Amino acid sequence: MRLWYSLCCLLFLSLPGLAVEVVVHSSVSETQLTTAQLRAIFSMRQTRWADGQAIQVLVLPSETTQHNLFTRNYLKMFPYQLDAIWHRQRFSGIGGTPVQYATVQELQAALERTPGAIGYLPQGLRSAELKVVTLYEK
């Protein structure tokens, strides 16, 4: 039974389109971030890149597989936790919320045309206008 479960997990994880990567617009100089920095950016607490350029956070709806994979694998939290942060900030007037796109194609197009943008895409969908961000731990 354990072998069957392991095989199913491996098959699920190896399906195309299930891995996501963090990407930024080519105008962004950063290509490495810590998990803490990524959390600060996606929780809308960090609003500027190191060079002073405004950060534009772009995401998919919380119900999507890509959003779920991103929040769990990169931010180390559940999608509902990130939603709670955004709702609390919006209703308290402290901060904004990210711009949400309905499809991966819309998100990709917006990332490509928005200077300072950060988001996530299924692995392998990036273009010349986008750079992949790698995570490192201090």
Side-chain angles (χ1 to χ4, degrees):
M1 186 63 151
R2 186 180 294 183
L3 178 62
W4 174 251
Y5 178 75
S6 297
L7 288 173
C8 287
C9 287
L10 283 173
L11 177 63
F12 178 75
L13 293 175
S14 66
L15 290 174
L18 287 184
V20 295
E21 54 192 4
V22 177
V23 294
V24 293
H25 186 270
S26 59
S27 66
V28 176
S29 59
E30 282 89 340
T31 57
Q32 291 186 334
L33 296 170
T34 65
T35 301
Q37 289 172 308
L38 202 59
R39 276 190 193 153
I41 290 168
F42 277 87
S43 65
M44 311 303 284
R45 289 178 304 180
Q46 181 178 338
T47 59
R48 300 223 169 255
W49 294 110
D51 64 1
Q53 181 176 207
I55 298 173
Q56 299 294 319
V57 179
L58 310 178
V59 298
L60 291 169
S62 298
E63 306 79 40
T64 62
T65 301
Q66 293 87 358
H67 184 78
N68 194 343
L69 288 168
F70 167 74
T71 56
R72 294 180 85 169
N73 295 335
Y74 286 94
L75 302 180
K76 309 296 185 214
M77 62 175 54
F78 293 102
Y80 73 86
Q81 292 172 305
L82 189 56
D83 285 344
I85 292 168
W86 293 338
H87 292 312
R88 189 170 41 250
Q89 288 182 340
R90 187 175 75 209
F91 293 123
S92 67
I94 294 172
T97 57
V99 180
Q100 192 175 96
Y101 292 89
T103 67
V104 170
Q105 293 76 20
E106 289 175 4
L107 177 60
Q108 181 179 8
L111 286 163
E112 291 171 350
R113 71 174 179 264
T114 309
I118 186 170
Y120 49 85
L121 290 171
Q123 209 165 30
L125 276 187
R126 68 183 181 277
S127 66
E129 283 297 314
L130 300 174
K131 298 188 290 191
V132 174
V133 174
T134 57
L135 289 185
Y136 72 96
E137 295 304 318
K138 287 185 177 183

